[in-house]
Amino acid sequence: MDDLRAVPPSLTGLTTYLLSRTGKIARGRLAGRFAERGLRLWHHAVLAALADFGPHVQRDLAARLAIDPSDMAKIVDELAGAGAGAGTGAGAGTGAGVRAGTETGTETEAGYVERARDTADRRRITVTLTAAGRALLAELDADAEAVQDEILDSLTDDEREHLNALLRKVFTHLDN
Amino acid sequence: MDDLRAVPPSLTGLTTYLLSRTGKIARGRLAGRFAERGLRLWHHAVLAALADFGPHVQRDLAARLAIDPSDMAKIVDELAGAGAGAGTGAGAGTGAGVRAGTETGTETEAGYVERARDTADRRRITVTLTAAGRALLAELDADAEAVQDEILDSLTDDEREHLNALLRKVFTHLDN
DNA sequence: ACCTATCATGGGTGCGCACCCACTAATTTG
DNA sequence: CAAATTAGTGGGTGCGCACCCATGATAGGT
């Protein structure tokens, strides 16, 4: 007893704490996978938003994901242009995106997303998902499901669904 | 439709994502409350561990909470000595801890925890929860439950318990 | 007694994330 | 047409967290 590794039960009794901890673990593992591609969680969210709701004015995209417009600019920049895949494990996967451009080599034209100035209001930039982006999204979703299988390993299918339903309820209500 | 604030359903369909998101919200709100006291989440965890398992050699405490010994030293330092409450809202609460010492004012002797050198092995430092620490822990637990009520607002009591059970199952299995 | 391992601690690093501000270009308002 | 507003962008800041390394003190093994 007193395993020296056992987590304080007064903490695991708090759902807040369990949520925070397991959430962090989930986040960490997912972020780890994405990092192998030189991506972060927001990249996934952006791709998913574009896939689900179609092209967005960049500002609306930021509003939807509740992120600062300034930060969104950077994320879109990484998804559209060079830089995202320069890191460790880029291109290790099925090679969906990450087409080498005509540049000198350190630069990789990602092209997961396309930016186009709105002809009506030339201040605005409309962001559109490309085919490469769609392919990447599929891979990231696969990553997410893999992580999910890891994490929910101890649950039956029924329990998983139940958990998802409960969390969804909590989340949508929290979303306000 | 297309609420412009709606979160991509392909994300909310992923339990990983829900976990990560709600976990982050929970963490954020909790951290916010603790921050008003000049504390962080680890402080709570440390106090809880001491309450649940009694005094610890500092190194064991670090091992239990899976934290770097170096970081644990700093946390224990903050719980024991001055510095923790110097910030914004210290002393706003019921005033359990944070007794002003005999010092000049900017310094606050926290004393939530006591460090004592082990007489047998004088390298080791045994950390013990004080009465003030126990009182603080009670407040932090109350904070946690308040946040919990906020977050789980949309769930019935049955559902809350169910959620807790599921998360606990996931977490303990993940703990490995 | 000497060498090595262990503990606590201080200092520093890097990442992710959330903000914030200033600046430019373009549009809308009066 | 001038003034005010909005979109995108670049740059910078601060926090929390997880690491890692060096150092000084202490123990233990041989």
Side-chain angles (χ1 to χ4, degrees), chain B residues 123-142:
Chain B
R123 286 171 303 181
R124 303 189 164 188
I125 287 188
T126 304
V127 184
T128 312
L129 194 59
T130 66
R134 219 168 270 279
L136 177 62
L137 176 57
E139 289 186 35
L140 297 185
D141 281 342

Side-chain angles (χ1 to χ4, degrees), chain B residues 5-171:
Chain B
R5 304 205 161 272
V7 171
S10 67
L11 289 184
T12 57
L14 296 167
T15 306
T16 305
Y17 205 83
L18 287 174
L19 222 50
S20 157
R21 286 285 275 196
T22 55
K24 182 164 197 171
I25 293 174
R27 166 172 293 259
R29 297 202 184 179
L30 200 51
R33 297 225 175 197
F34 290 176
E36 290 175 10
R37 303 188 141 90
L39 298 174
R40 275 157 293 145
L41 292 175
W42 283 122
H43 295 117
H44 182 215
V46 166
L47 294 178
L50 291 175
D52 284 357
F53 298 107
H56 278 67
V57 172
Q58 189 165 306
R59 188 170 208 292
D60 295 342
L61 200 50
R64 180 186 298 284
L65 297 176
I67 194 180
D68 191 286
S70 163
D71 295 324
M72 178 57 80
K74 292 154 193 162
I75 291 171
V76 169
D77 194 50
E78 287 157 354
L79 284 173
T88 322
T94 50
V98 195
R99 318 167 296 186
T102 53
E103 299 88 345
T104 44
T106 39
E107 304 259 338
T108 54
E109 263 301 326
Y112 301 126
V113 124
E114 230 176 34
R115 279 182 289 194
R117 282 223 112 87
D118 187 330
T119 50
D121 184 342
R122 297 178 36 81
R123 286 171 303 181
R124 303 189 164 188
I125 287 188
T126 304
V127 184
T128 312
L129 194 59
T130 66
R134 219 168 270 279
L136 177 62
L137 176 57
E139 289 186 35
L140 297 185
D141 281 342
D143 277 347
E145 281 181 34
V147 169
Q148 186 162 317
D149 278 349
E150 276 178 33
I151 287 182
L152 304 185
D153 183 40
S154 57
L155 300 187
T156 68
D157 284 2
D158 273 5
E159 287 173 323
R160 294 185 192 203
E161 209 151 321
H162 211 111
L163 178 60
N164 186 282
L166 287 172
L167 286 178
R168 192 189 298 248
K169 196 167 176 181
V170 168
F171 179 70

Side-chain angles (χ1 to χ4, degrees), chain B residues 1 8 173:
Chain B
M1 65 191 90
H173 180 269

